[in-house]
Amino acid sequence: MLPEIGPEPAGDGTPFSQLTTMRVGGPAERVLVAHELQELVAFAQGLWDTDEPWLLLGGGSNTVMHDDGFPGTVLLVRTTGIAPVEDDALPEGKIRLRVQAGHDWDHLVAACVENGWSGIEALSGIPGAAGAAPVQNIGAYGQELSDVLHSIEFLDRDRGYARRIPAEDLGLAYRDSAIKQGLEGVVLSIDIVLTVGEVGPGRRAHAAPEVLSEPIAYAQLAGALGVEIGDRVPIRDLRDSVLGLRASKGMVLDPDDHDSWSSGSFFTNPIVTERFAHELPENAPRFPQPVPEVADAVTTFEELEAGYPIRVPQATPERMVKLSAAWLIEHAGVQRGFHLPGSGAAISSKHTLAITNRGGATAHDVAELARFVVQRVQQEFGVILAPEPNLYGLEL
């Protein structure tokens, strides 16, 4: 079993090194802990009424704080709970679940696997809280939260009250969302829609371990399971395989494994034009991205009479491809285990995409190594890597 979300803080002045998976960062001036939904709402609204800076923190898996700490209040989200939601609009074989924002993400995945509900099994082992999942649109091994997200309950600062926002209005993209782009508020809960387990031939419907996963969409995962892309396997087998793959890369939290003292993947995979990608070495991995639909440029007579402006034809969007940040880092000469002289931060010995705390690292060490990696990749390939975690008081 994975560790619970973050330790309970000792109180005001708790360092971020105790609140984040990277285990770096100075003290928080004040710490509030919300265990109940009403507490979370009351704390957030109360903090908005003041002029002091404050920071919302879940599992701390996507946060790197400056060594000087945070000059304000940290609100820790520790609300938990999973409950089915009645929804007559759902097709047969689907279930809608409401998950409180502070619920440990992997505990949610484990519960769904045990109940034979598929759709997030490939997201096993991702650290953090459920409320943070839509902010980043978390994804791994061919699945993304956007595949199953129905809606979120959102405490909207501008409106002053909680409202439900459908997934399609959140601007979910690769590691991005409207929340990340400036929609200010607090995620109180998320609703996801999963598939009620389908069993293989001759299987018993109540045997949760035999319920089949969603079709496998990731080559490495298919290879680890000895099957083909598009095949389905028992849902528990898929979860076990994902956890094994993540552990082999230091991506499963383990207090005894310094490779897991990290914020997971430190850089996002760059998305560039297909034309730019042609300039890269032939063996550089490329993953074609969906081409956005071009809006209809025809303006009807009814629209003209109603005062609508004439639509201007849009150029066909350029094709985009996603690159592998790990490949770029490795081929820029930064190898696994690399560290700068005298630094407590290092590239993971298992995976070049993670920056890790080897014990005693500072936030300065982490940022310095990250800047070195960015510079090497830019010099070698002309690609500027972007950090995935939120950096506070630090610049790359």
Side-chain angles (χ1 to χ4, degrees), residues 107-141:
H107 292 178
L108 165 64
V109 179
C112 293
V113 168
E114 286 301 311
N115 282 280
W117 301 327
S118 65
I120 57 174
E121 57 275 9
L123 304 182
S124 292
I126 296 178
V135 180
Q136 285 286 103
N137 185 27
I138 61 172
Y141 297 104

Side-chain angles (χ1 to χ4, degrees), residues 203-222:
R203 305 288 191 180
R204 294 171 297 162
H206 65 273
E210 298 170 342
V211 166
L212 299 180
S213 69
E214 293 295 297
I216 296 170
Y218 198 80
Q220 186 182 32
L221 180 57

Side-chain angles (χ1 to χ4, degrees), residues 158-182:
D158 290 337
R159 303 191 185 198
Y161 57 84
R163 63 187 178 108
R164 184 153 297 281
I165 305 179
E168 55 267 26
D169 293 342
L170 286 172
L172 298 174
Y174 173 64
R175 303 298 176 271
D176 202 6
S177 69
I179 306 170
K180 191 173 180 180
Q181 293 300 322

Side-chain angles (χ1 to χ4, degrees), residues 85-326:
V85 177
E86 290 189 16
D87 188 341
D88 295 336
L90 289 183
E92 186 177 354
K94 297 289 185 178
I95 185 170
R96 178 175 165 187
L97 302 175
R98 181 157 298 162
V99 188
Q100 297 305 307
H103 203 96
D104 183 280
W105 175 263
D106 192 67
H107 292 178
L108 165 64
V109 179
C112 293
V113 168
E114 286 301 311
N115 282 280
W117 301 327
S118 65
I120 57 174
E121 57 275 9
L123 304 182
S124 292
I126 296 178
V135 180
Q136 285 286 103
N137 185 27
I138 61 172
Y141 297 104
Q143 286 182 353
E144 285 189 333
L145 180 69
S146 57
D147 298 333
V148 298
L149 187 66
H150 175 278
S151 58
I152 66 172
E153 185 180 10
F154 188 72
L155 182 62
D156 192 311
R157 179 177 185 178
D158 290 337
R159 303 191 185 198
Y161 57 84
R163 63 187 178 108
R164 184 153 297 281
I165 305 179
E168 55 267 26
D169 293 342
L170 286 172
L172 298 174
Y174 173 64
R175 303 298 176 271
D176 202 6
S177 69
I179 306 170
K180 191 173 180 180
Q181 293 300 322
L183 177 61
E184 191 171 359
V186 175
V187 178
L188 302 177
S189 65
I190 67 172
D191 281 22
I192 57 176
V193 175
L194 303 179
T195 301
V196 177
E198 180 182 333
V199 297
R203 305 288 191 180
R204 294 171 297 162
H206 65 273
E210 298 170 342
V211 166
L212 299 180
S213 69
E214 293 295 297
I216 296 170
Y218 198 80
Q220 186 182 32
L221 180 57
L225 287 161
V227 297
E228 301 294 327
I229 293 286
D231 286 350
R232 303 172 69 187
V233 300
I235 191 171
R236 189 172 291 175
D237 290 352
L238 190 140
R239 172 172 165 79
D240 289 345
S241 184
V242 168
L243 289 175
L245 285 170
R246 290 185 66 88
S248 71
K249 301 174 183 179
M251 296 293 186
V252 174
L253 296 179
D254 181 349
D256 297 323
D257 180 6
H258 283 273
D259 276 330
S260 74
W261 291 25
S262 74
S263 56
S265 298
F266 199 90
F267 300 102
T268 57
N269 291 318
I271 296 178
V272 301
T273 64
E274 192 176 63
R275 179 170 45 186
F276 177 88
H278 279 311
E279 303 299 318
L280 297 174
E282 190 174 328
N283 61 336
R286 299 167 175 82
F287 306 96
Q289 300 299 289
V291 178
E293 293 184 6
V294 178
D296 189 354
V298 176
T299 307
T300 66
F301 287 115
E302 291 80 3
E303 289 173 327
L304 289 173
E305 290 178 358
Y308 284 88
I310 297 176
R311 293 192 183 96
V312 178
Q314 299 180 16
T316 302
E318 191 165 2
R319 292 184 178 275
M320 309 296 285
V321 297
K322 183 164 64 177
L323 307 176
S324 166

